[in-house]
Amino acid sequence: MVRSVIVKGATLKYVKSIRVHFSPWQNNVHSARLFLMYVSSKSMAESNPNCLVSGVVKHNTSAPIVHIGFEDGKQLLFKSSKLTLHEMLQKFVSWTDKRTKSTEEAS
């Protein structure tokens, strides 16, 4: 029940770019790939058509990284090898909620 609420709260409204770096031959990239699939979905893309979402395939043993840049210049970085999709989405939603609240207060 809690997980569906977190997923429903996700939006790209204040996100400028998302880059997911991973090596597909590593065992610890599952959550990074799921995050990329989630933010690349049609419903997420419709929340901000100007957001650039990209996957960067590495050919080395580097850890998977999710880099999120917001329109206000803030950045969120996940070293996702030991994180679940749920943990990343929960933190992502909390960051986008902060931007929503600060924008509403400024208006």
XYZ file of all heavy atoms in Angstrom:
848
model
N 0.820 -1.198 0.000
C 0.000 0.000 0.000
C 0.863 1.262 0.000
O 0.646 2.159 -0.775
C -0.928 -0.042 1.212
C -1.832 1.139 1.313
S -3.251 0.874 0.263
C -4.366 2.021 0.946
N 1.860 1.310 0.859
C 2.719 2.485 0.946
C 3.479 2.691 -0.353
O 3.612 3.803 -0.827
C 3.701 2.350 2.131
C 4.699 3.482 2.136
C 2.936 2.308 3.434
N 3.944 1.618 -0.959
C 4.721 1.741 -2.186
C 3.920 2.376 -3.308
O 4.425 3.175 -4.062
C 5.238 0.380 -2.624
C 6.291 -0.145 -1.699
C 6.816 -1.456 -2.144
N 7.743 -1.933 -1.139
C 8.642 -2.830 -1.359
N 8.754 -3.395 -2.536
N 9.454 -3.206 -0.406
N 2.663 2.044 -3.441
C 1.851 2.623 -4.511
C 1.649 4.115 -4.302
O 1.597 4.867 -5.255
C 0.504 1.905 -4.610
O -0.249 2.093 -3.432
N 1.571 4.559 -3.057
C 1.426 5.988 -2.777
C 2.690 6.731 -3.201
O 2.629 7.781 -3.805
C 1.139 6.219 -1.276
C 1.179 7.696 -0.937
C -0.211 5.634 -0.913
N 3.840 6.168 -2.922
C 5.101 6.807 -3.287
C 5.230 6.888 -4.799
O 5.594 7.915 -5.347
C 6.293 6.049 -2.672
C 6.273 6.243 -1.158
C 7.599 6.516 -3.252
C 7.247 5.393 -0.416
N 4.901 5.832 -5.491
C 5.004 5.828 -6.948
C 4.031 6.833 -7.549
O 4.371 7.549 -8.474
C 4.760 4.409 -7.503
C 4.650 4.435 -8.999
C 5.882 3.484 -7.074
N 2.828 6.939 -7.002
C 1.857 7.894 -7.526
C 2.308 9.336 -7.332
O 1.935 10.204 -8.087
C 0.497 7.691 -6.851
C -0.228 6.466 -7.336
C -1.582 6.364 -6.683
C -2.294 5.105 -7.134
N -3.582 4.945 -6.472
N 3.129 9.593 -6.322
C 3.588 10.954 -6.062
C 4.750 11.384 -6.930
O 5.154 12.535 -6.915
N 5.308 10.480 -7.697
C 6.485 10.810 -8.502
C 6.092 11.620 -9.732
O 5.116 11.318 -10.407
C 7.202 9.533 -8.923
N 6.858 12.655 -9.988
C 6.642 13.499 -11.147
C 7.981 14.098 -11.587
O 8.892 14.221 -10.781
C 5.634 14.627 -10.848
O 5.477 15.438 -12.013
C 6.068 15.491 -9.696
N 8.087 14.456 -12.831
C 9.300 15.100 -13.342
C 9.111 16.611 -13.474
O 9.908 17.274 -14.139
C 9.663 14.507 -14.713
C 9.978 13.024 -14.758
C 10.266 12.593 -16.192
C 11.133 12.678 -13.853
N 8.111 17.148 -12.829
C 7.728 18.544 -13.013
C 8.891 19.522 -12.833
O 9.053 20.446 -13.608
C 6.590 18.901 -12.056
C 6.004 20.246 -12.303
C 4.768 20.460 -11.467
C 4.154 21.810 -11.754
N 2.950 22.037 -10.966
N 9.718 19.347 -11.815
C 10.818 20.280 -11.554
C 12.181 19.685 -11.876
O 13.198 20.182 -11.428
C 10.772 20.732 -10.093
C 9.486 21.443 -9.771
C 8.484 20.818 -9.045
C 9.247 22.729 -10.238
C 7.289 21.456 -8.779
C 8.063 23.379 -9.977
C 7.084 22.736 -9.245
O 5.905 23.371 -8.990
N 12.194 18.634 -12.678
C 13.443 17.947 -13.010
C 13.938 18.404 -14.375
O 13.180 18.454 -15.343
C 13.232 16.409 -13.002
C 14.514 15.698 -13.362
C 12.719 15.946 -11.648
N 15.213 18.743 -14.439
C 15.818 19.171 -15.705
C 16.378 17.975 -16.472
O 16.222 17.881 -17.684
C 16.930 20.178 -15.415
C 17.554 20.790 -16.630
C 18.567 21.843 -16.225
C 19.177 22.496 -17.442
N 20.140 23.536 -17.059
N 17.055 17.065 -15.747
C 17.649 15.913 -16.427
C 17.841 14.753 -15.459
O 18.003 14.956 -14.257
C 19.003 16.281 -17.039
O 19.929 16.591 -16.021
N 17.816 13.556 -16.026
C 18.114 12.339 -15.281
C 19.054 11.504 -16.141
O 18.754 11.224 -17.297
C 16.842 11.527 -14.966
C 15.906 12.325 -14.076
C 17.212 10.196 -14.301
C 14.581 11.631 -13.796
N 20.197 11.144 -15.563
C 21.149 10.283 -16.251
C 21.402 9.057 -15.384
O 21.737 9.186 -14.207
C 22.459 11.023 -16.517
C 22.330 12.107 -17.564
C 23.676 12.708 -17.944
N 24.564 12.986 -16.839
C 24.620 14.146 -16.169
N 23.817 15.127 -16.493
N 25.487 14.313 -15.187
N 21.242 7.903 -15.973
C 21.481 6.642 -15.263
C 22.692 5.976 -15.909
O 22.656 5.614 -17.073
C 20.237 5.725 -15.334
C 20.499 4.438 -14.566
C 19.008 6.435 -14.779
N 23.766 5.849 -15.134
C 25.008 5.239 -15.603
C 25.086 3.818 -15.054
O 24.959 3.622 -13.844
C 26.230 6.015 -15.084
C 26.241 7.446 -15.483
N 27.036 7.913 -16.501
C 25.578 8.529 -15.006
C 26.860 9.214 -16.628
N 25.965 9.609 -15.733
N 25.317 2.851 -15.914
C 25.437 1.470 -15.441
C 26.153 0.613 -16.478
O 26.186 0.931 -17.659
C 24.069 0.863 -15.125
C 23.179 0.716 -16.320
C 23.141 -0.472 -17.037
C 22.373 1.761 -16.740
C 22.316 -0.613 -18.144
C 21.546 1.633 -17.832
C 21.525 0.440 -18.549
N 26.717 -0.467 -15.983
C 27.319 -1.477 -16.847
C 26.386 -2.683 -16.834
O 26.156 -3.271 -15.774
C 28.697 -1.888 -16.324
O 29.179 -2.992 -17.065
N 25.825 -3.059 -17.957
C 24.835 -4.137 -17.971
C 25.411 -5.496 -17.589
O 24.656 -6.416 -17.305
C 24.329 -4.148 -19.413
C 25.368 -3.447 -20.207
C 26.055 -2.495 -19.279
N 26.734 -5.607 -17.533
C 27.348 -6.885 -17.191
C 27.600 -7.046 -15.695
O 28.070 -8.069 -15.254
C 28.643 -7.064 -17.977
C 28.339 -7.128 -19.435
C 27.914 -8.225 -20.131
C 28.387 -6.060 -20.366
N 27.692 -7.892 -21.441
C 27.977 -6.572 -21.621
C 28.723 -4.711 -20.277
C 27.914 -5.786 -22.762
C 28.662 -3.935 -21.421
C 28.268 -4.476 -22.641
N 27.274 -6.029 -14.922
C 27.428 -6.101 -13.470
C 26.164 -6.684 -12.838
O 25.067 -6.549 -13.382
C 27.702 -4.717 -12.881
C 29.003 -4.091 -13.363
C 30.204 -4.876 -12.892
O 30.280 -5.321 -11.763
N 31.161 -5.053 -13.801
N 26.323 -7.296 -11.679
C 25.183 -7.911 -10.991
C 24.343 -6.927 -10.181
O 23.216 -7.219 -9.833
C 25.681 -9.010 -10.039
C 26.297 -10.158 -10.791
O 25.906 -10.456 -11.909
N 27.278 -10.791 -10.180
N 24.871 -5.753 -9.884
C 24.215 -4.824 -8.962
C 23.503 -3.659 -9.653
O 23.337 -2.603 -9.071
C 25.246 -4.282 -7.978
C 26.409 -3.596 -8.681
O 26.477 -3.554 -9.900
N 27.324 -3.059 -7.905
N 23.054 -3.841 -10.886
C 22.456 -2.736 -11.638
C 20.932 -2.820 -11.747
O 20.317 -1.971 -12.378
C 23.060 -2.630 -13.060
C 24.539 -2.398 -12.986
C 22.743 -3.850 -13.884
N 20.340 -3.807 -11.124
C 18.908 -4.039 -11.288
C 18.065 -2.810 -10.912
O 17.204 -2.384 -11.685
C 18.477 -5.255 -10.461
C 17.053 -5.634 -10.656
N 16.589 -6.197 -11.825
C 15.976 -5.511 -9.843
C 15.290 -6.405 -11.718
N 14.902 -6.008 -10.522
N 18.311 -2.228 -9.754
C 17.483 -1.095 -9.325
C 17.713 0.137 -10.204
O 16.785 0.899 -10.465
C 17.729 -0.766 -7.856
O 19.078 -0.467 -7.625
N 18.940 0.333 -10.684
C 19.210 1.467 -11.583
C 18.444 1.306 -12.892
O 17.852 2.261 -13.410
C 20.707 1.586 -11.854
N 18.427 0.094 -13.419
C 17.700 -0.156 -14.671
C 16.197 -0.003 -14.472
O 15.493 0.539 -15.338
C 18.052 -1.530 -15.209
C 19.501 -1.597 -15.675
C 19.879 -2.954 -16.147
N 19.288 -3.166 -17.469
C 19.641 -4.136 -18.283
N 20.571 -4.999 -17.909
N 19.082 -4.263 -19.454
N 15.681 -0.459 -13.330
C 14.254 -0.285 -13.036
C 13.900 1.192 -12.901
O 12.858 1.640 -13.379
C 13.869 -1.032 -11.755
C 13.813 -2.545 -11.843
C 13.536 -3.141 -10.461
C 12.758 -2.990 -12.838
N 14.782 1.971 -12.257
C 14.547 3.408 -12.118
C 14.507 4.063 -13.491
O 13.635 4.896 -13.763
C 15.629 4.047 -11.244
C 15.338 5.464 -10.862
C 14.568 5.744 -9.751
C 15.820 6.518 -11.617
C 14.289 7.060 -9.393
C 15.548 7.831 -11.281
C 14.779 8.101 -10.161
N 15.434 3.694 -14.367
C 15.450 4.232 -15.729
C 14.161 3.888 -16.464
O 13.574 4.744 -17.123
C 16.661 3.714 -16.494
C 16.803 4.158 -17.947
C 16.912 5.672 -18.043
C 18.006 3.492 -18.590
N 13.713 2.650 -16.345
C 12.450 2.257 -16.989
C 11.281 3.068 -16.436
O 10.419 3.509 -17.185
C 12.175 0.766 -16.774
C 12.937 -0.131 -17.696
S 12.492 -1.886 -17.632
C 11.495 -2.100 -16.219
N 11.268 3.272 -15.125
C 10.164 3.989 -14.495
C 10.109 5.446 -14.958
O 9.048 5.934 -15.339
C 10.288 3.913 -12.970
C 9.155 4.603 -12.274
C 7.907 4.003 -12.196
C 9.317 5.858 -11.725
C 6.852 4.638 -11.585
C 8.268 6.502 -11.111
C 7.034 5.889 -11.040
O 5.991 6.537 -10.440
N 11.243 6.150 -14.923
C 11.224 7.568 -15.300
C 11.118 7.764 -16.805
O 10.815 8.865 -17.263
C 12.434 8.346 -14.730
C 12.410 8.344 -13.222
C 13.745 7.808 -15.257
N 11.335 6.700 -17.575
C 11.184 6.779 -19.027
C 9.769 6.458 -19.490
O 9.480 6.544 -20.687
C 12.146 5.804 -19.713
O 13.465 6.123 -19.414
N 8.901 6.108 -18.566
C 7.542 5.722 -18.936
C 6.774 6.910 -19.517
O 7.123 8.073 -19.298
C 6.794 5.169 -17.723
O 6.538 6.201 -16.795
N 5.741 6.609 -20.254
C 4.944 7.645 -20.923
C 4.326 8.615 -19.925
O 4.360 9.825 -20.131
C 3.857 6.980 -21.758
C 3.025 7.952 -22.548
C 1.986 7.248 -23.386
C 1.132 8.259 -24.126
N 0.086 7.613 -24.919
N 3.789 8.101 -18.832
C 3.134 8.970 -17.847
C 4.134 9.917 -17.189
O 3.821 11.076 -16.927
C 2.409 8.150 -16.789
O 3.319 7.319 -16.100
N 5.348 9.439 -16.928
C 6.361 10.322 -16.343
C 6.815 11.353 -17.369
O 6.986 12.521 -17.039
C 7.552 9.504 -15.846
C 7.261 8.701 -14.606
S 6.944 9.707 -13.150
C 8.602 10.113 -12.674
N 7.017 10.953 -18.599
C 7.450 11.882 -19.643
C 6.423 12.985 -19.859
O 6.786 14.127 -20.125
C 7.708 11.131 -20.943
N 5.150 12.656 -19.724
C 4.099 13.656 -19.894
C 4.098 14.697 -18.773
O 3.624 15.805 -18.976
C 2.737 12.974 -19.976
C 2.532 12.217 -21.268
C 1.248 11.398 -21.295
O 0.600 11.245 -20.241
O 0.920 10.890 -22.375
N 4.650 14.352 -17.607
C 4.675 15.315 -16.500
C 5.689 16.433 -16.740
O 5.584 17.499 -16.159
C 4.963 14.613 -15.168
O 6.272 14.081 -15.143
N 6.686 16.211 -17.613
C 7.638 17.249 -18.000
C 8.312 16.837 -19.307
O 9.345 16.174 -19.304
C 8.697 17.465 -16.918
C 9.653 18.579 -17.268
O 9.580 19.177 -18.338
N 10.567 18.866 -16.363
N 7.749 17.241 -20.439
C 8.324 16.850 -21.730
C 9.724 17.420 -21.978
O 10.450 16.935 -22.839
C 7.339 17.405 -22.756
C 6.182 17.932 -22.018
C 6.528 17.996 -20.574
N 10.127 18.448 -21.228
C 11.445 19.061 -21.413
C 12.554 18.364 -20.630
O 13.720 18.709 -20.784
C 11.406 20.532 -21.011
C 10.474 21.323 -21.899
O 10.375 21.064 -23.089
N 9.767 22.274 -21.317
N 12.198 17.420 -19.790
C 13.186 16.699 -18.990
C 13.934 15.706 -19.871
O 13.335 14.907 -20.580
C 12.504 15.967 -17.839
S 13.642 15.005 -16.836
N 15.252 15.758 -19.805
C 16.094 14.855 -20.580
C 16.398 13.627 -19.730
O 17.038 13.721 -18.691
C 17.392 15.548 -20.970
C 18.440 14.701 -21.676
C 17.903 14.225 -23.026
C 19.708 15.477 -21.847
N 15.929 12.466 -20.155
C 16.190 11.204 -19.470
C 17.088 10.368 -20.366
O 16.762 10.134 -21.521
C 14.875 10.443 -19.173
C 15.165 9.103 -18.530
C 13.950 11.277 -18.291
N 18.236 9.933 -19.821
C 19.157 9.157 -20.640
C 19.813 8.050 -19.824
O 20.033 8.188 -18.631
C 20.235 10.057 -21.253
O 20.995 10.670 -20.235
N 20.107 6.987 -20.515
C 20.861 5.889 -19.940
C 22.245 5.884 -20.548
O 22.394 5.996 -21.764
N 23.244 5.795 -19.707
C 24.626 5.787 -20.170
C 25.196 4.407 -19.869
O 25.371 4.042 -18.707
C 25.459 6.879 -19.465
C 26.896 6.856 -19.963
C 24.830 8.245 -19.662
N 25.449 3.639 -20.917
C 25.964 2.281 -20.750
C 27.478 2.344 -20.643
O 28.158 2.857 -21.529
C 25.543 1.384 -21.933
C 26.131 -0.008 -21.784
C 24.023 1.315 -22.014
N 27.984 1.835 -19.532
C 29.428 1.809 -19.282
C 29.973 0.436 -19.653
O 29.260 -0.552 -19.603
C 29.713 2.075 -17.804
C 29.215 3.401 -17.296
C 30.140 4.477 -17.723
C 29.741 5.788 -17.080
N 30.784 6.767 -17.109
N 31.212 0.395 -20.005
C 31.873 -0.870 -20.341
C 33.025 -1.133 -19.371
O 34.122 -1.478 -19.770
C 32.378 -0.840 -21.788
C 31.276 -0.693 -22.769
N 30.429 -1.728 -23.090
C 30.849 0.380 -23.476
C 29.534 -1.301 -23.970
N 29.770 -0.031 -24.222
N 32.734 -0.896 -18.094
C 33.743 -1.134 -17.067
C 33.042 -1.652 -15.809
O 31.863 -1.957 -15.841
C 34.533 0.148 -16.787
C 33.636 1.310 -16.401
O 32.546 1.130 -15.877
N 34.100 2.518 -16.656
N 33.741 -1.705 -14.723
C 33.164 -2.250 -13.490
C 32.702 -1.171 -12.523
O 32.572 -1.421 -11.330
C 34.197 -3.151 -12.783
O 35.358 -2.368 -12.490
C 34.560 -4.345 -13.633
N 32.444 0.029 -13.008
C 32.011 1.110 -12.132
C 30.614 0.827 -11.577
O 29.796 0.153 -12.198
C 32.027 2.446 -12.872
O 31.158 2.401 -13.977
N 30.362 1.359 -10.393
C 29.072 1.169 -9.727
C 27.980 1.944 -10.469
O 28.250 3.001 -11.055
C 29.158 1.651 -8.285
N 26.755 1.446 -10.452
C 25.660 2.171 -11.101
C 25.332 3.461 -10.348
O 25.328 3.480 -9.118
C 24.492 1.181 -11.036
C 24.826 0.255 -9.928
C 26.310 0.196 -9.853
N 25.078 4.509 -11.112
C 24.792 5.827 -10.536
C 23.580 6.426 -11.226
O 23.446 6.352 -12.451
C 25.995 6.777 -10.714
C 27.197 6.261 -9.918
C 25.656 8.192 -10.299
C 28.458 7.042 -10.151
N 22.698 7.026 -10.432
C 21.560 7.777 -10.956
C 21.788 9.229 -10.579
O 21.896 9.566 -9.392
C 20.220 7.271 -10.368
C 19.070 8.121 -10.867
C 20.003 5.805 -10.712
N 21.893 10.105 -11.577
C 22.144 11.528 -11.362
C 20.910 12.310 -11.799
O 20.504 12.226 -12.958
C 23.363 11.980 -12.158
C 23.685 13.413 -11.967
N 23.254 14.382 -12.822
C 24.378 14.042 -10.990
C 23.669 15.555 -12.400
N 24.358 15.376 -11.286
N 20.341 13.080 -10.873
C 19.132 13.853 -11.154
C 19.450 15.329 -10.957
O 19.909 15.728 -9.890
C 17.974 13.436 -10.229
C 17.706 11.938 -10.388
C 16.723 14.251 -10.521
C 16.810 11.358 -9.322
N 19.222 16.123 -11.993
C 19.422 17.564 -11.916
C 18.072 18.271 -11.918
O 17.223 17.996 -12.754
N 17.879 19.158 -10.957
C 16.620 19.901 -10.848
C 16.754 21.275 -11.487
O 17.862 21.794 -11.669
C 16.213 20.031 -9.378
C 15.818 18.724 -8.752
C 16.744 17.941 -8.099
C 14.522 18.263 -8.840
C 16.397 16.729 -7.528
C 14.154 17.058 -8.285
C 15.095 16.291 -7.629
N 15.633 21.889 -11.800
C 15.625 23.187 -12.474
C 16.218 24.292 -11.616
O 16.707 25.284 -12.135
C 14.197 23.547 -12.895
C 13.678 22.661 -14.012
C 12.237 22.948 -14.387
O 11.550 23.683 -13.648
O 11.799 22.421 -15.415
N 16.192 24.131 -10.287
C 16.750 25.151 -9.396
C 18.251 24.988 -9.171
O 18.842 25.693 -8.369
C 16.014 25.167 -8.062
C 16.124 23.860 -7.286
O 16.775 22.918 -7.773
O 15.547 23.786 -6.183
N 18.872 24.043 -9.893
C 20.309 23.839 -9.785
C 20.725 22.769 -8.784
O 21.877 22.359 -8.765
N 19.827 22.323 -7.939
C 20.138 21.268 -6.978
C 20.311 19.952 -7.718
O 19.759 19.756 -8.796
C 19.027 21.121 -5.942
C 18.725 22.376 -5.163
C 19.743 22.607 -4.097
C 19.304 23.822 -3.286
N 20.213 24.205 -2.293
N 21.074 19.047 -7.102
C 21.321 17.751 -7.721
C 21.148 16.651 -6.694
O 21.450 16.834 -5.518
C 22.726 17.700 -8.302
C 22.941 18.702 -9.391
C 24.334 18.616 -9.985
O 25.115 17.752 -9.652
N 24.632 19.542 -10.884
N 20.665 15.526 -7.156
C 20.483 14.343 -6.326
C 21.243 13.207 -6.988
O 21.109 12.982 -8.190
C 18.995 14.003 -6.214
C 18.589 12.785 -5.403
C 19.049 12.904 -3.956
C 17.071 12.620 -5.449
N 22.072 12.515 -6.216
C 22.903 11.452 -6.747
C 22.650 10.180 -5.948
O 22.745 10.186 -4.724
C 24.380 11.832 -6.653
C 25.378 10.818 -7.176
C 25.310 10.753 -8.694
C 26.776 11.189 -6.730
N 22.288 9.107 -6.647
C 22.117 7.807 -6.020
C 23.243 6.889 -6.469
O 23.455 6.720 -7.664
C 20.793 7.141 -6.441
C 19.560 7.826 -5.958
C 18.633 8.303 -6.870
C 19.305 7.963 -4.616
C 17.477 8.919 -6.442
C 18.146 8.577 -4.176
C 17.228 9.061 -5.085
N 23.934 6.313 -5.526
C 24.843 5.206 -5.821
C 24.002 3.963 -5.591
O 23.872 3.475 -4.473
C 26.071 5.272 -4.931
C 26.904 6.507 -5.218
C 28.131 6.565 -4.368
C 28.924 7.817 -4.726
N 30.131 7.927 -3.914
N 23.406 3.498 -6.645
C 22.270 2.583 -6.542
C 22.607 1.111 -6.393
O 21.720 0.282 -6.365
C 21.358 2.770 -7.754
O 22.049 2.435 -8.926
N 23.872 0.762 -6.263
C 24.218 -0.654 -6.184
C 23.629 -1.334 -4.950
O 23.335 -2.520 -4.975
C 25.729 -0.844 -6.211
O 26.330 -0.216 -5.100
N 23.417 -0.582 -3.876
C 22.873 -1.170 -2.647
C 21.518 -0.573 -2.275
O 21.069 -0.699 -1.141
C 23.863 -1.001 -1.508
C 25.148 -1.764 -1.758
C 26.104 -1.681 -0.631
C 27.354 -2.470 -0.989
N 28.369 -2.386 0.028
N 20.878 0.090 -3.223
C 19.553 0.671 -2.994
C 18.505 -0.077 -3.796
O 18.787 -0.576 -4.879
C 19.534 2.144 -3.407
C 20.435 3.092 -2.630
C 20.428 4.464 -3.291
C 19.994 3.193 -1.186
N 17.293 -0.095 -3.276
C 16.186 -0.683 -4.024
C 15.488 0.414 -4.810
O 15.680 1.609 -4.538
C 15.173 -1.354 -3.081
O 14.568 -0.340 -2.263
C 15.826 -2.419 -2.225
N 14.679 0.016 -5.760
C 13.880 0.988 -6.514
C 12.995 1.781 -5.562
O 12.871 2.998 -5.677
C 13.030 0.281 -7.572
C 12.047 1.161 -8.332
C 12.771 2.225 -9.137
C 11.166 0.313 -9.225
N 12.402 1.109 -4.601
C 11.517 1.764 -3.633
C 12.259 2.847 -2.850
O 11.740 3.955 -2.666
C 10.934 0.716 -2.682
C 10.019 1.296 -1.664
N 10.406 1.499 -0.365
C 8.745 1.721 -1.751
C 9.416 2.026 0.308
N 8.392 2.167 -0.515
N 13.466 2.564 -2.413
C 14.243 3.555 -1.659
C 14.573 4.768 -2.513
O 14.480 5.913 -2.054
C 15.523 2.918 -1.128
C 15.306 1.888 -0.050
C 16.539 1.062 0.261
O 17.391 0.879 -0.644
O 16.638 0.610 1.413
N 14.941 4.535 -3.761
C 15.260 5.658 -4.642
C 14.020 6.487 -4.948
O 14.067 7.717 -4.936
C 15.909 5.155 -5.934
C 17.303 4.642 -5.732
S 18.191 4.314 -7.265
C 17.303 2.912 -7.890
N 12.893 5.831 -5.216
C 11.667 6.569 -5.499
C 11.202 7.365 -4.295
O 10.725 8.491 -4.426
C 10.563 5.626 -5.964
C 10.691 5.094 -7.382
C 9.604 4.067 -7.660
C 10.632 6.221 -8.391
N 11.349 6.791 -3.118
C 10.938 7.486 -1.899
C 11.739 8.779 -1.736
O 11.166 9.839 -1.474
C 11.152 6.571 -0.700
C 10.602 7.101 0.587
C 10.742 6.083 1.710
O 11.569 5.170 1.653
N 9.934 6.241 2.727
N 13.041 8.721 -1.903
C 13.881 9.914 -1.787
C 13.598 10.899 -2.924
O 13.524 12.107 -2.707
C 15.357 9.491 -1.806
C 16.309 10.594 -1.509
C 16.200 10.999 -0.069
C 17.345 11.914 0.297
N 17.254 12.351 1.686
N 13.411 10.388 -4.134
C 13.101 11.232 -5.288
C 11.805 12.006 -5.066
O 11.732 13.208 -5.300
C 13.003 10.361 -6.541
C 12.606 11.106 -7.784
C 13.458 12.026 -8.363
C 11.374 10.874 -8.386
C 13.102 12.703 -9.517
C 11.012 11.550 -9.527
C 11.870 12.471 -10.094
N 10.773 11.322 -4.576
C 9.489 11.981 -4.322
C 9.639 13.034 -3.223
O 9.064 14.123 -3.327
C 8.397 10.944 -3.968
C 7.152 11.616 -3.436
C 8.059 10.119 -5.192
N 10.419 12.761 -2.203
C 10.602 13.759 -1.139
C 11.292 15.007 -1.688
O 10.947 16.128 -1.305
C 11.371 13.179 0.045
O 12.728 12.998 -0.260
N 12.246 14.845 -2.600
C 12.914 16.001 -3.204
C 11.962 16.777 -4.116
O 11.974 18.006 -4.125
C 14.144 15.549 -3.981
C 15.373 15.476 -3.124
C 15.551 14.707 -2.012
C 16.571 16.208 -3.294
N 16.787 14.904 -1.499
C 17.454 15.823 -2.273
C 17.004 17.128 -4.225
C 18.726 16.350 -2.139
C 18.278 17.640 -4.107
C 19.123 17.262 -3.068
N 11.159 16.085 -4.900
C 10.225 16.807 -5.780
C 9.127 17.483 -4.953
O 8.668 18.556 -5.321
C 9.598 15.871 -6.831
O 8.988 14.762 -6.188
C 10.642 15.389 -7.816
N 8.734 16.876 -3.839
C 7.753 17.515 -2.952
C 8.293 18.822 -2.379
O 7.568 19.806 -2.260
C 7.342 16.583 -1.811
C 6.387 15.497 -2.250
O 5.860 15.572 -3.379
O 6.168 14.560 -1.449
N 9.577 18.854 -2.034
C 10.199 20.080 -1.521
C 10.134 21.183 -2.569
O 9.855 22.337 -2.243
C 11.657 19.828 -1.151
C 11.853 19.011 0.083
C 13.338 18.781 0.324
C 13.567 17.793 1.448
N 15.000 17.508 1.638
N 10.375 20.843 -3.814
C 10.315 21.846 -4.876
C 8.890 22.350 -5.089
O 8.674 23.515 -5.328
C 10.859 21.274 -6.177
C 12.274 21.530 -6.329
C 13.293 20.601 -6.389
N 14.583 20.875 -5.868
C 15.021 20.419 -4.713
N 14.229 19.810 -3.889
N 16.253 20.602 -4.335
N 7.933 21.453 -5.001
C 6.529 21.835 -5.146
C 6.121 22.794 -4.038
O 5.502 23.828 -4.290
C 5.621 20.585 -5.134
O 6.034 19.708 -6.179
C 4.171 20.957 -5.331
N 6.493 22.485 -2.808
C 6.139 23.333 -1.664
C 6.813 24.686 -1.744
O 6.194 25.708 -1.465
C 6.497 22.632 -0.367
C 5.597 21.458 -0.070
C 6.019 20.716 1.176
C 5.148 19.479 1.374
N 5.618 18.652 2.489
N 8.088 24.738 -2.118
C 8.778 26.012 -2.203
C 8.225 26.873 -3.332
O 8.162 28.092 -3.217
C 10.287 25.806 -2.381
O 10.570 25.197 -3.614
N 7.784 26.256 -4.424
C 7.187 27.000 -5.530
C 5.818 27.557 -5.126
O 5.489 28.701 -5.449
C 7.031 26.099 -6.769
O 8.319 25.592 -7.116
C 6.464 26.861 -7.942
N 5.046 26.759 -4.397
C 3.736 27.222 -3.944
C 3.878 28.365 -2.938
O 3.066 29.293 -2.952
C 2.954 26.056 -3.327
C 2.506 25.032 -4.348
C 1.881 23.799 -3.709
O 1.880 23.693 -2.452
O 1.405 22.946 -4.469
N 4.887 28.309 -2.071
C 5.104 29.374 -1.091
C 5.544 30.661 -1.776
O 5.207 31.743 -1.338
C 6.141 28.936 -0.071
C 5.632 27.855 0.860
C 6.722 27.314 1.771
O 7.892 27.756 1.667
O 6.401 26.451 2.598
N 6.301 30.555 -2.844
C 6.785 31.734 -3.566
C 5.654 32.435 -4.323
O 5.740 33.611 -4.605
C 7.888 31.341 -4.519
N 4.607 31.693 -4.645
C 3.504 32.282 -5.430
C 2.586 33.130 -4.595
O 2.430 33.121 -3.483
C 2.666 31.173 -6.073
O 3.457 30.442 -6.966
